[in-house]
Amino acid sequence: MTTVAGIGFTAPWLLLALLALPLLWLLLRAVPPAPRRRLFPAVTLLLGLRDDDSLSDRTPWWLLLLRLMAVAAVIVGLAGPVLNPTKTPTGRGPLLVVLDGSWAGAPEWDRTREEIDRLLAEAGRADRPVAVLRLTAPQPPQFQSAASWRRQIIGEVPQSWQPSQEQLALALGQIDEVEGRFDSLWFSDGLDYPGRSDLITQLRQRGELTIYEHPLPRLALRPVTYVDGAMEITVARSLPERRAGDGSTATDLSVGNDQTVTVLAKGPDPGGTIRTLGAVDVDFSDPDTTSADGTEATARLSLPAELRARIQHFELQGQRSAGAISLTDDSLRRREVALIAAQSRNEGLALLSPLHYLRKALAPTADLLEGGLNDLLPANPDVIVLADTARLPDDLENAVVDWVTKGGLLLRFAGPRLATGDTARTDEEPLLPVRLRVGGRSIGGAMSWGEPKTLAPFAEGSPFHGLKIPSDVTVSSQVVAQPDPALAERVIAELSDGTPLVTRKPMGDGQIVLFHVTANAEWSSLPLSGLFVQMMERLAVSSGSKPAEATDLEGTTWAPLQVLDGFGGLSDADALPGVAGPDLVTAAAGPDLQPGLYQSSDRRIARNVIRAEDQLTPARWPASLNINGYGASPERPLGGILISLALLLLALDVIAALVLSGLLSKKSLATKGKVASLTSTLLLAVGVWAIGTGTDTRSYAQSGTEPAAETGRTNKPDPAADALASERAAELTLAHVLTGDPKVDRLARDGLQGLSNTLRFRTSVEPAPPASVDLEHDELAFFPLLYWPVTANQVMPSGAAYDRLNTYLRTGGMILFDTRDADLTRAGASSPAGRRLQQLALRLDVPPLEPLPADHVLTRTFYLLQDFPGRHTRGAVWVEAAPVDAEQIEGIPFRNLNDGVTPVVIGGNDWAAAWAVDDNGRPLLPVGRGYAGERQRELAYRFGVNLIMHVLTGNYKSDQVHVPALLDRLGQ
């Protein structure tokens, strides 16, 4: 494309025709003048005579100018003018596409992928080999055809971390291995990170480097902290760089000064549904809450303790990236600790109170409850501390046992009462982790020959492993554990002579911990040291409202529970390895340390995308580089407008010629035909003008919006759409997803029609005619089931379509994915449809899946089934995995799986082909051969009936009340 005066031309050579306009000026002057009419009686003598000589008059200059303008408009219009042409790199030879591929590019990922696809298409037309280098997951560049990469780029997704220095060093080494020169296109996410300058230098040495970058600020949430009774929420942003005329850059503080973002606190309601528990606006225009450089703004949110305890994460409203999510952990939630002592609070001196040092250690980080155990136990605290309490009444002991079993932490401290009592002398008691000897042990003092003992280093399996033990911490008295085979595995801290100091016993989902010393300084100096506070934090007694430090996590390993993807979605992380405690705080996020929620023992730490000290620095580029921004004005072709203008000018020329020739006099206009002809000409000109100047689809596609007239959606009420919505809401309607392949879509609709007929004939369900669903525009809530035949070339849905699909799945809808490839996958081959299904499902909230078990409710919702064939047989069918604690009762072949309806069913048996019927209700396609084939079709219909019944009735048929009848039907 050639650019002239800011306007691009796709066929610039046509502009040479403008040089012929002077010649046209001379030719167009030869126009006969209009005849003059004179009434003269003698003129009748001249009738029949011919005059061979004719005179011509000059054409008016304004008419010549009108005609030249029309011709010029045609010439320029055919040259393909484009307003705001995109500066596309041109050249020959290999092309390397470099992707930052981090969370910062997730909000604009769809547009990035479209831009890459467009550039790959142009590279394909130029026959340029292409390679893609992902900086967040570097792989050696493989130069392939552009068409091959266009198919692969659809499945590319951003990661939840930025490229690290190690990854950039790896990428540099991989580039060094590439021979020859190549051009590069770098799609930047807009943020700076260490090591970029070396990569820029390397790429510029190998060829031309072009940058693509979105100019809008990047937003991210810092970890939320709890300060002075409120949650402090900080939003960080990167301001774009402004390039001066001399090539220097500076932060553009004028961008987004009035920006206000909303932060939502998300968590489950009492029914388990994730809802917004609170919201707060963060205003960057408020100088009191915004930093001087405009890159940070802070707000405070106060919620009741009950709601605060439910918060799972904070998110920036309208932002779709991992950086817009801030996960919560124990540092935000203040645990409720019940302090109970046998000794009265005002008995003796304050420093001798069993609870004094516990109050000092826990008050900054926990909500303390004090009173009687009968009064505090119904409040369901997180931790109960018993200081020198020997025995509990039987009814109260049973209540505490039940509380611990459900996940409570019972923390006990020894004392004179526990040492002299008969508690746990012969048998192990439920509320003590070990059996105890009578009398305890006095190590130092006037009546002892020994010296006070110090603490031994904490063993590797202890929750205290890695804590530094002060040399002045000593123990002079303690209660002693009885030798027992299970004693060694229950000791988590011991004295230098090997005597147990702290023991622990798990009970159900909770645990019981016993300190063999008092909670005050009477038996040891442990409560006087900072080690005591650290031990409380390691046991998750306090929340530790301050951020975790690397030194505090020495010697611990943290298992990932859930990790964030680049778009901010959470997924289970059972297969990922554990992370060392210090790395969880200090190391940069990456493939080995993905942002998410980590757990060690009963303590949880959230590793968010950005930490409290991280800064969002905008990417800086050398002044000589060509930078294309996604936010630039979209291309707008002008050819249609100019051609329409030319037609309008020609229509005006016709009118002017008629006026000059006298054909538009009153007498000549008396003829209706001429009037109609003139009217038609004017209407045609106006119509062509309207079409030529109408909205251009391409410009809207690039700007990210759509004209209402082209999509059929307007802001005005649509009676037809309302009527269709009412009709679908009134009756049960099965629907299939449009794939873009007319043959597949027609077969899917015929298949659902056959299934609807079967339901109408065999059950009380009377479905309406099936519907075809466009994921980009249609409402999905009307359909209990979506049949989705997957094709290899199906277009990926947009972000808005994925949001609708995820909402549909969360609110009770079901999608039946059918790859129609069971004849291939049964032999172990990987089909194109199967690979496309993996790409389609990346951004869907799909639960863990398993092959359909023999006792799943789908096998018995209406018919008793063992196979689920379609046109193919014995292809695997996948459903939501059963809970791990599902019970198998002896003598009953069905587990108790009352856990809801599986949101997705995945298979490849091509069920629509087996269900499909023509207008007369006859099968469209053959299935199998002979009687066996008809039996296979019948089983396919039965599977469809079971599927619809499962959608409509849930796991009703898994109730145990049905077991006797089912066992009778099964002959058991």
Side-chain angles (χ1 to χ4, degrees), residues 408-421:
L409 169 62
L410 178 62
L411 181 61
R412 303 194 65 169
F413 288 87
R417 288 178 175 80
L418 190 62
T420 58

Side-chain angles (χ1 to χ4, degrees), residues 869-916:
R871 185 168 61 91
H872 307 302
T873 59
R874 302 191 181 282
V877 179
W878 293 76
V879 297
E880 182 180 2
V884 294
D885 57 350
E887 298 180 357
Q888 176 75 52
I889 302 177
E890 184 178 357
I892 297 179
F894 308 123
R895 289 172 294 172
N896 182 15
L897 299 179
N898 270 335
D899 59 341
V901 178
T902 175
V904 295
V905 177
I906 300 177
N909 286 338
D910 199 1
W911 288 288
W915 297 336

Side-chain angles (χ1 to χ4, degrees), residues 443-444 451-455 469-477 495-496 501 517 520-529 531:
I443 305 172
E451 295 292 332
K453 300 296 181 182
T454 58
L455 274 64
I469 302 175
S471 58
D472 57 349
V473 174
T474 58
V475 175
S476 58
S477 298
L495 300 180
S496 55
L501 176 65
V517 294
N520 57 16
E522 187 176 353
W523 285 11
S524 74
S525 60
L526 177 62
L528 302 176
S529 68
L531 177 63

Side-chain angles (χ1 to χ4, degrees), residues 405-708:
T405 304
K406 294 179 179 178
L409 169 62
L410 178 62
L411 181 61
R412 303 194 65 169
F413 288 87
R417 288 178 175 80
L418 190 62
T420 58
D422 59 351
T423 304
R425 303 307 181 196
T426 57
D427 298 324
E428 181 181 321
E429 294 193 359
L431 295 183
L432 282 172
V434 294
R435 293 184 298 126
L436 303 175
R437 290 184 178 180
V438 179
R441 175 192 184 196
S442 179
I443 305 172
M447 303 300 294
S448 173
W449 292 97
E451 295 292 332
K453 300 296 181 182
T454 58
L455 274 64
F458 298 116
E460 186 172 348
S462 169
F464 311 132
H465 178 65
L467 294 180
K468 185 177 180 180
I469 302 175
S471 58
D472 57 349
V473 174
T474 58
V475 175
S476 58
S477 298
Q478 67 172 143
V479 293
V480 182
Q482 288 275 17
D484 189 272
L487 179 61
E489 64 183 25
R490 296 184 180 181
V491 176
I492 57 177
E494 58 186 10
L495 300 180
S496 55
D497 62 356
T499 306
L501 176 65
V502 184
T503 54
R504 180 175 64 177
K505 176 180 70 173
M507 177 182 289
D509 294 331
Q511 58 180 330
I512 300 172
V513 178
L514 171 64
F515 277 73
H516 291 237
V517 294
T518 56
N520 57 16
E522 187 176 353
W523 285 11
S524 74
S525 60
L526 177 62
L528 302 176
S529 68
L531 177 63
F532 187 67
V533 178
Q534 294 176 330
M535 295 175 75
M536 294 296 103
E537 292 181 356
R538 287 288 182 94
L539 290 174
V541 175
S542 65
S543 63
S545 59
K546 64 178 182 180
E549 297 182 1
T551 55
D552 298 334
L553 303 181
E554 286 287 349
T556 61
T557 301
W558 297 75
L561 294 179
Q562 292 180 309
V563 293
L564 287 167
D565 61 24
F567 295 105
L570 279 171
S571 60
D572 293 334
D574 299 336
L576 295 180
V579 176
D583 292 343
L584 190 62
V585 177
T586 60
D592 299 327
L593 177 58
Q594 300 185 27
L597 193 62
Y598 291 78
Q599 181 176 22
S600 177
S601 185
D602 291 331
R603 191 179 178 193
R604 294 187 177 187
I605 289 182
R607 172 56 194 264
N608 288 295
V609 171
I610 64 170
R611 295 164 292 183
E613 66 276 9
D614 292 341
Q615 298 292 327
L616 299 184
T617 305
R620 293 180 173 87
W621 306 97
S624 57
L625 283 180
N626 184 19
I627 301 176
N628 294 325
Y630 295 166
S633 300
E635 289 184 353
R636 183 175 179 84
L638 302 177
I641 298 176
L642 292 174
I643 296 296
S644 302
L645 177 61
L647 292 175
L648 182 59
L649 293 176
L650 291 176
L652 294 177
D653 176 75
V654 171
I655 298 173
L658 292 175
V659 171
L660 293 177
S661 63
L663 297 179
L664 286 183
S665 62
K666 295 182 179 180
K667 293 183 179 179
S668 61
L669 290 179
T671 306
K672 294 183 179 179
K674 294 182 179 180
V675 176
S677 176
L678 177 61
T679 304
S680 300
T681 302
L682 291 175
L683 290 178
L684 176 62
V686 173
V688 172
W689 171 265
I691 295 174
T693 58
T695 304
D696 183 67
T697 305
R698 180 180 176 184
S699 67
Y700 279 97
Q702 292 182 352
S703 63
T705 61
E706 294 183 1

Side-chain angles (χ1 to χ4, degrees), residues 102-318:
S102 71
W103 61 267
E108 297 294 332
W109 189 253
D110 290 336
R111 297 180 64 184
T112 300
R113 198 163 49 188
E114 291 173 1
E115 187 71 11
I116 295 175
D117 183 75
R118 185 185 67 81
L119 293 173
L120 289 179
E122 294 190 4
R125 289 192 291 269
D127 199 22
R128 305 183 69 178
V130 178
V132 176
L133 178 62
R134 314 165 187 84
L135 298 182
T136 49
Q139 295 292 333
Q142 300 291 331
F143 285 93
Q144 305 173 13
S145 67
S148 175
W149 277 113
R150 290 185 71 186
R151 292 191 295 269
Q152 299 179 50
I153 207 69
I154 296 176
E156 286 294 324
V157 293
Q159 303 296 336
S160 57
W161 58 86
Q162 283 189 279
S164 64
Q165 289 183 289
E166 293 77 9
Q167 290 172 328
L168 291 179
L170 178 60
L172 282 172
Q174 294 169 352
I175 292 175
D176 287 336
E177 297 176 359
V178 178
E179 298 180 357
R181 293 180 61 82
F182 54 84
D183 295 335
S184 302
L185 304 178
W186 190 330
F187 287 85
S188 170
D189 292 339
L191 293 182
D192 195 12
Y193 43 85
R196 286 175 64 257
S197 57
D198 295 337
L199 185 58
I200 293 173
T201 302
Q202 178 77 344
L203 292 177
R204 298 185 72 182
Q205 291 175 353
R206 303 299 292 271
E208 182 180 354
L209 174 61
T210 305
I211 308 301
Y212 286 84
E213 180 179 277
H214 198 284
L216 294 180
R218 268 60 176 181
L219 297 173
L221 269 175
R222 296 196 185 280
V224 178
T225 57
Y226 191 80
V227 179
D228 296 333
M231 291 170 286
E232 191 167 87
I233 301 170
T234 302
V235 180
R237 67 175 179 177
S238 66
L239 294 177
E241 295 289 327
R242 183 180 65 252
R243 181 170 292 184
D246 59 356
S248 62
T249 59
T251 302
D252 191 356
L253 296 177
S254 63
V255 177
N257 278 342
D258 58 346
Q259 186 175 15
T260 300
V261 294
T262 301
V263 180
L264 306 178
K266 295 280 191 173
D269 62 9
T273 302
I274 301 297
R275 299 188 183 277
T276 300
L277 304 179
V280 64
D281 290 335
V282 181
D283 188 1
F284 281 91
S285 63
D286 187 353
D288 296 332
T289 59
T290 305
S291 60
D293 58 1
T295 59
E296 285 187 5
T298 304
R300 295 170 67 86
L301 176 63
S302 298
L303 290 177
E306 181 182 358
L307 290 181
R308 190 175 68 245
R310 291 182 184 171
I311 297 176
Q312 292 184 349
H313 69 270
F314 295 84
E315 66 179 47
L316 287 173
Q317 189 176 31

